[in-house]
Amino acid sequence: GAGVSQSPSNKVTEKGKDVELRCDPISGHTALYWYRQRLGQGLEFLIYFQGNSAPDKSGLPSDRFSAERTGESVSTLTIQRTQQEDSAVYLCASSLSSSGANVLTFGAGSRLTVL
Amino acid sequence: EDQVTQSPEALRLQEGESSSLNCSYTVSGLRGLFWYRQDPGKGPEFLFTLYSAGEEKEKERLKATLTKKESFLHITAPKPEDSATYLCAVMNYGGSQGNLIFGKGTKLSVKP
């Protein structure tokens, strides 16, 4: 596609429920990233996929968070048993590759509110 | 610990009033420093990448510079449409290539 597409754009859920957030990267981009942006805070790295390599999960805050990617296509970020502190905007980005200091193209984000 | 600090947190300017935004960083080895612009409800939009001290890049009313400890984003004669949050991020050689370290941003408001 023309840009990085994320869905849903807004999600309101109750504490304890599971949520899935979807990211459709730019066609041909081999690298895909998830970041979290809490109100008034900088972007926090969550997870990164590069081609068929094992993902870098070093930023995932707890085992309630997981992500998958199908080949070099769609990715899904899953948050299980959501907590109020999970409320944030979840941003997905993609890039042509991860070599060098590569430029990330971001989606508009999925805003998650946990009541 | 790698760190990025941006100042000021917020900046209000009159249209045409030039100013600068600061990004101070501490990294083990700088692979690249990035400036992004973020409008409300949208994802960050790429502006510049700087790789080494002394490097400068320009785009319209924006100019980014880099030293060994900080980067400046200079805004010349800003217009109301330049209002946005400006984010600085660094990528280091020691960490994952996916792990950009972001500052909290500077929220710029330009009044007509």
Side-chain angles (χ1 to χ4, degrees), chain B residues 5-80:
Chain B
T5 303
Q6 291 189 248
S7 63
E9 290 185 10
L11 181 62
R12 291 189 175 189
L13 300 174
Q14 287 297 126
E15 184 172 2
E17 179 186 3
S18 301
S19 188
S20 297
L21 282 55
N22 177 264
C23 171
S24 297
Y25 64 90
T26 306
V27 293
S28 50
L30 183 68
R31 183 189 291 268
L33 184 141
F34 300 78
W35 282 98
Y36 282 85
R37 168 190 171 131
Q38 187 173 25
D39 292 294
K42 296 187 177 181
E45 176 186 347
F46 171 75
L47 294 173
F48 304 108
T49 308
L50 301 167
Y51 296 99
S52 58
E55 190 175 1
E56 299 182 352
K57 288 192 177 174
E58 288 188 65
K59 179 180 179 181
E60 296 181 352
R61 295 177 292 281
L62 300 177
K63 179 180 178 180
T65 62
L66 181 65
T67 73
K68 290 185 178 180
K69 293 184 178 181
E70 57 191 350
S71 176
F72 290 94
L73 185 65
H74 305 278
I75 303 177
T76 302
K79 298 182 177 181

Side-chain angles (χ1 to χ4, degrees), chain A residues 1-6 24-27 94 105-107:
Chain A
V4 177
S5 178
Q6 291 189 246
D24 216 326
I26 292 173
S27 178
S94 68
T105 301
F106 285 86

Side-chain angles (χ1 to χ4, degrees), chain B residues 1-6 22-27 33 87-91 100-105:
Chain B
E1 181 183 346
D2 296 337
Q3 200 168 358
V4 176
T5 303
Q6 291 189 248
N22 177 264
C23 171
S24 297
Y25 64 90
T26 306
V27 293
L33 184 141
L87 302 173
C88 173
V90 298
M91 184 180 288
L100 277 179
I101 303 162
F102 280 85
K104 294 182 180 181

Side-chain angles (χ1 to χ4, degrees), chain A residues 72-85:
Chain A
E72 294 184 353
S73 184
V74 171
S75 175
T76 302
L77 177 69
T78 301
I79 308 173
Q80 294 179 310
R81 306 181 301 282
T82 52
Q83 304 294 312
Q84 288 183 332
E85 61 262 29

